Amino acid sequence: MAAEQSNYVAPCPYELCDGGGMIVDWDANESYRCRCWPEQVQRRRSRRLSREIPKRFRNIGFEREPLPSIARTAPDVVRAVRRFCDRIDEMLDRGEGMWFLGSPGTGKSHLAYLISQAALAANRSVAIYTGPRLLDEIRRTYDDDTPGATLDLIDRLTNVELLHVEDLAVARPTDWVLEQLYNIVNGRYENEKSIVFTCDLTGDAEEGSGAIDPRWLARHITDRNFSRLVEMCGDPQMLFGADNRQAVYKPHAWES
C-alpha cells in the first residue's frame, strides 16, 4: 500500500493533462506545461515531508467513537470541523485554518486529524508534525552538507497546502525556536496557506486560574506569531472536560 501511495499521480484538477503537469500537442509536435504544473511540483516536493497519519488516528470518522462522545460535550466544535471537512478544497484554496485549545484528552487531536484525513482524501499536499519533531527536523538540516538544506525545508513547510502541528506549545520557547516558528508561520501567512494545530495550554500558570485563556499562547510563542495564527485560523475551538485517556486507564495488577 505504501508503494502504491508513493507512486500515485493526482489527477489534473483542470482535466487538461494526465496528472503529470505536461500537455502534448501531437499535431504541433510540441509540449507545454499545464495549468496544474505548479500544484504538481508542490505535491512532489511535499512528499519529502512527514504526511503519515499515526495508526491511532487512521480511518477515524464522525460516526465512529470517540467522535460521537466528543460531539456530546462539544457539539459546536464538531459541527465546525464537519463543515471544514465538507468544504476542504474551498478552505485550503482560501488559506483558512483551525486550531484546537483545551485540556488534555478532550479530543483535540482526533478533530485535527479529521481535517488532515479529508485533505489527503482530496489529494491535497499535507505535512503532519508534532511541535518538537518539527523543530528536530529543522535542526537536522544543520548537519546536512547539501547547500540550502534548511531554507529548502522551511520553503517546503511554508508552501505545503496544509500544515498540521500537534502540541504547538510543547517546545521550550528559546530564541531559536521562536525564530524558526516565525519563519514558518509568517511564510504561510504571506502565502495564504492553511494551518491546523492543537495546543494544551489551559490557563495562566502564574495566576493559577485554571481557565482556558487563548491569549496565554501569545505569551508562549510571541505576539507576532499569535497574531498571524489568529488571523489565519480564527477563534480557537475550545474543548473542556475530563481527560478521556485517564478515564479508560486500567491499573496494572501490581498497582492494585
Side-chain angles (χ1 to χ4, degrees):
M1 179 64 70
E4 292 177 1
Q5 289 178 346
S6 63
N7 294 325
Y8 175 77
V9 177
C12 174
Y14 311 107
E15 300 182 352
L16 298 175
C17 72
D18 62 1
M22 298 295 294
I23 297 175
V24 178
D25 186 336
W26 296 105
D27 294 331
N29 193 29
E30 63 180 13
S31 61
Y32 53 93
R33 291 177 179 175
C34 178
R35 284 176 59 195
C36 74
W37 174 261
E39 299 165 37
Q40 298 294 351
V41 170
Q42 178 55 43
R43 289 191 179 99
R44 284 192 287 272
R45 295 186 71 210
S46 70
R47 288 172 191 157
R48 288 180 284 168
L49 299 172
S50 174
R51 63 191 295 270
E52 185 174 355
I53 293 179
K55 182 178 179 181
R56 180 175 294 278
F57 301 102
R58 291 176 196 162
N59 301 314
I60 55 178
F62 288 99
E63 312 308 324
R64 301 175 187 170
E65 288 292 349
L67 265 299
S69 295
I70 297 173
R72 284 193 288 273
T73 57
D76 292 341
V77 174
V78 174
R79 278 194 293 269
V81 173
R82 187 188 287 270
R83 286 194 299 269
F84 196 106
C85 292
D86 288 344
R87 300 162 54 197
I88 191 69
D89 285 318
E90 176 189 349
M91 301 304 280
L92 297 189
D93 288 344
R94 289 166 44 186
E96 298 284 345
M98 185 171 283
W99 62 303
F100 302 91
L101 177 65
S103 49
T106 51
K108 299 184 299 297
S109 293
H110 281 87
L111 293 167
Y113 277 113
L114 276 171
I115 295 174
S116 287
Q117 180 176 267
L120 288 168
N123 298 319
R124 308 302 288 257
S125 58
V126 180
I128 303 171
Y129 291 92
T130 63
R133 184 182 173 189
L134 180 63
L135 296 170
D136 284 343
E137 291 290 332
I138 298 173
R139 286 191 187 96
R140 199 168 298 146
T141 63
Y142 289 179
D143 299 324
D144 194 330
D145 294 332
T146 305
T150 302
L151 291 177
D152 179 66
L153 176 58
I154 295 293
D155 185 54
R156 283 185 277 124
L157 290 168
T158 295
N159 288 288
V160 67
E161 291 174 290
L162 174 64
L163 177 61
H164 174 168
V165 182
E166 285 287 308
D167 299 322
L168 178 67
V170 165
R172 185 180 303 169
T174 63
D175 289 342
W176 182 86
V177 167
L178 295 174
E179 178 184 352
Q180 304 313 313
L181 182 60
Y182 177 76
N183 287 336
I184 295 169
V185 170
N186 186 61
R188 297 192 67 79
Y189 173 78
E190 291 181 343
N191 288 293
E192 297 184 335
K193 297 292 186 178
S194 299
I195 185 169
V196 168
F197 68 95
T198 67
C199 179
D200 273 348
L201 291 177
T202 56
D204 191 319
E206 295 180 0
E207 295 179 6
S209 67
I212 295 179
D213 179 8
R215 289 293 310 174
W216 206 97
L217 181 59
R219 296 169 55 183
H220 191 81
I221 65 173
T222 73
D223 284 327
R224 62 179 184 172
N225 283 321
F226 181 78
S227 174
R228 286 163 174 77
L229 287 170
V230 168
E231 183 171 341
M232 296 160 70
C233 301
D235 293 332
Q237 302 298 320
M238 312 281 274
L239 289 118
F240 303 88
D243 186 339
N244 292 316
R245 299 189 192 99
Q246 295 189 37
V248 298
Y249 172 71
K250 294 182 175 59
H252 295 289
W254 62 81
E255 296 179 289
S256 52

